[in-house]
Amino acid sequence: MEILGVDIGFGFTKATNGRDALIFKSVLGEATELQFQEQILQNPQGSEDHLRIEVDGKGYFVGELAERQSSNRFFTLDPTQLVGRFARILALTAASRLVGSYLPINLVTGLPIGYYRQHKEALNRALAGEHKILVQEAGGKKVEKTLSVNKVRIIPQPFGSLFNAMLNDSGELSDKRLVREKIGIVDVGFRTSDYTISDRMRYSERGSRTTDSGIAKAFTAIANALREQSGVNIELYRLYDAVEKGSIKVRGKEFDLRETVEQAFNQLATAVAAEVERLWADDWDVDTIVVTGGGGAVLAPYLLPLIEGNVLPAEAGRDARLNNVSGYWKFGRHLWAKGELGAGSQ
């Protein structure tokens, strides 16, 4: 049996089997036959992943390959579309890289708190069961695989980061302090921000909410400013490198984004901090606040000075995008490595 954690995000899909981890953009594209598949010159930084999968007789390029090669690309910020149209393909793409054929899979994934009740059953149906897929490698070789998802456990998304901090790689408690404390979690993703409170491991409905204050809101402001300057609509998923670099070339002209990025991130951080203060107004006894998610890492320099309280520092040298999915995997170990411990499966 393989325990797999999969985090199907609006911006990136992340997965881990505890040994290896995989991150790729949540972008799908129609697969086409590539007439030339070799690199033009040797790339000193290494070649990009070739993510091509065929599901139900239809071929897809996934992630960077879709962005680079597909004429028709699909990217969504709509939760119904993500669950109904994208989730299965993205999860199977990740599983095809991390799990061998026919090996039973117990899978843990998550949903934003605000989408949990509405979409949990649909996501479970999309992921559970036997999936016959065809994977095409970069050299053109096609490999048939059968992925057997035996059990699916779906949890509120930000609890992944809590489990990541609380559990070790055996799924056992490593930081019992977090079990005894009241913990506030701020999980900034691409489309949403999730806020939740774990009060000595009891979920607080009052202190939990999903809002639209994800990194996409800042990216939309940056894209709008670029459109005014360049006349070109830049897709949000093509802004990651430009935002990190602080500039972008559009039709040969370079645009400085530093001031625009600074303004957009400051506005978003102010909105997130205001949501924290408003939502947790009655929870002044929170012991520790965890700021997590890939968006949380990006926003941290702007956000942390605005949040009052004991904020748990991010783990140095670790990709924050993996916090939730690593917690999913550890939770899976907790459930299934030595039996389910009475937790049951979803």
Side-chain angles (χ1 to χ4, degrees):
M1 180 192 70
E2 186 81 78
I3 294 174
L4 191 65
V6 181
D7 182 0
I8 307 163
F10 290 96
F12 289 89
T13 295
K14 293 78 67 177
T16 183
N17 58 9
R19 301 178 301 278
D20 302 302
L22 183 66
I23 302 177
F24 54 87
K25 289 181 181 179
S26 297
V27 180
L28 301 179
E30 291 183 356
T32 59
E33 291 302 322
L34 303 180
Q35 299 182 62
F36 184 76
Q37 299 191 41
E38 298 177 14
Q39 285 184 226
I40 298 173
L41 292 174
Q42 185 65 32
N43 181 0
Q45 297 179 341
S47 60
E48 296 174 327
D49 279 330
H50 184 96
L51 296 177
R52 176 173 177 162
I53 188 172
E54 188 174 305
V55 181
D56 300 330
K58 186 171 183 180
Y60 300 90
F61 289 158
V62 183
E64 294 281 355
L65 186 64
E67 183 178 334
R68 191 171 65 247
Q69 298 287 7
S70 296
S71 298
N72 295 317
R73 297 179 298 276
F74 312 104
F75 169 80
T76 188
L77 293 177
D78 179 79
T80 302
Q81 279 213 19
L82 183 71
V83 171
R85 186 179 177 189
F86 287 71
R88 180 168 176 251
I89 299 165
L90 294 170
L92 292 178
T93 299
S96 71
R97 284 300 183 94
L98 297 174
V99 181
S101 190
Y102 294 104
L103 189 65
I105 302 167
N106 283 2
L107 186 150
V108 180
T109 189
L111 280 168
I113 290 167
Y115 307 153
Y116 184 80
R117 185 177 301 170
Q118 180 180 354
H119 295 289
K120 183 180 73 167
E121 293 304 323
L123 183 58
N124 185 83
R125 289 193 300 269
L127 300 180
E130 189 171 277
H131 308 271
K132 295 184 182 297
I133 63 172
L134 192 67
V135 178
Q136 185 168 341
E137 298 172 353
K141 181 182 177 182
K142 294 185 178 181
V143 179
E144 291 185 357
K145 300 188 77 169
T146 299
L147 299 173
S148 301
V149 181
N150 181 37
K151 294 180 180 179
V152 177
R153 183 69 184 249
I154 302 170
I155 63 176
Q157 191 166 281
F159 272 78
S161 290
L162 183 63
F163 292 144
N164 186 47
M166 185 180 298
L167 302 175
N168 61 25
D169 287 349
S170 298
E172 299 170 342
L173 284 173
S174 61
D175 191 342
K176 295 182 181 179
R177 174 180 58 89
L178 296 178
V179 178
R180 297 189 298 265
E181 289 188 347
K182 188 173 185 178
I183 311 297
I185 307 167
V186 181
D187 181 8
V188 184
F190 190 73
R191 164 72 169 78
T192 63
S193 283
D194 265 329
Y195 310 89
T196 192
I197 285 178
S198 169
D199 189 354
R200 292 178 288 279
M201 289 307 298
R202 291 171 298 186
Y203 168 77
S204 168
E205 181 69 33
R206 180 189 69 199
S208 301
R209 187 169 301 171
T210 296
T211 73
D212 292 336
S213 300
I215 291 296
K217 181 170 283 188
F219 273 33
T220 299
I222 295 165
N224 289 341
L226 265 173
R227 186 180 64 247
E228 292 177 3
Q229 297 175 50
S230 69
V232 175
N233 287 310
I234 308 293
E235 299 96 329
L236 299 188
Y237 61 83
R238 298 181 74 176
L239 282 175
Y240 293 109
D241 292 341
V243 168
E244 185 176 356
K245 183 182 175 184
S247 64
I248 189 172
K249 276 190 177 181
V250 180
R251 293 175 176 161
K253 183 179 178 181
E254 187 160 357
F255 293 87
D256 189 331
L257 297 179
R258 288 172 295 182
E259 185 175 336
T260 304
V261 169
E262 188 86 7
Q263 182 177 356
F265 281 178
N266 269 317
Q267 288 179 347
L268 180 59
T270 301
V272 171
E275 288 169 354
V276 169
E277 186 173 346
R278 182 170 60 252
L279 182 60
W280 294 346
D282 293 331
D283 294 292
W284 43 263
D285 55 343
V286 166
D287 294 294
T288 302
I289 296 174
V290 178
V291 177
T292 187
V298 171
L299 210 59
Y302 308 89
L303 178 60
L304 298 191
L306 303 178
I307 295 182
E308 290 187 39
N310 176 34
V311 181
L312 192 69
E315 188 177 340
R318 178 176 176 83
D319 191 330
R321 294 175 297 178
L322 294 171
N323 286 348
N324 278 336
V325 77
S326 296
Y328 296 165
W329 177 78
K330 290 179 181 180
F331 185 57
R333 292 279 296 172
H334 177 77
L335 292 178
W336 298 308
K338 297 178 182 177
E340 288 207 14
L341 305 180
S345 61
Q346 298 288 346

